[in-house]
Amino acid sequence: MFGTTPGIWLKKKRLQEAYFQIAEQSKKPSDVYLEVGFEDLSHFSYAFKKEFGKTPNEIAKPVSNRI
């Protein structure tokens, strides 16, 4: 139905939620990775970069731009 396996679909959804929280809600990657279901920050960063082409820190807004 979704054209992929359930595990891959779920991982993409978790990464999309992480992207939203980091880019739009200005949360730190270190605060997000556990919340979206990753057990290890380095694995989260690897999967994130593989999915989006940038690390979580690269898309995070600088502190001075946070609301």
Side-chain angles (χ1 to χ4, degrees):
M1 180 179 271
F2 295 106
T4 187
T5 66
I8 292 172
W9 181 85
L10 181 58
K11 184 166 82 171
K12 285 182 178 283
K13 287 296 186 184
R14 291 170 28 209
L15 289 168
Q16 289 170 352
E17 177 62 21
Y19 190 100
F20 172 76
Q21 288 186 24
I22 295 167
E24 303 299 325
Q25 296 182 334
S26 301
K27 290 187 176 181
K28 295 179 189 176
S30 59
D31 295 336
V32 171
Y33 80 97
L34 284 173
E35 187 176 326
V36 297
F38 285 85
E39 294 180 8
D40 184 281
L41 181 57
S42 65
H43 179 251
F44 168 70
S45 294
Y46 174 81
F48 193 97
K49 183 166 184 169
K50 188 174 179 182
E51 181 70 21
F52 300 113
K54 293 185 178 184
T55 66
N57 288 328
E58 289 175 333
I59 64 142
K61 295 177 182 176
V63 175
S64 61
N65 291 345
R66 291 185 184 175
I67 299 174

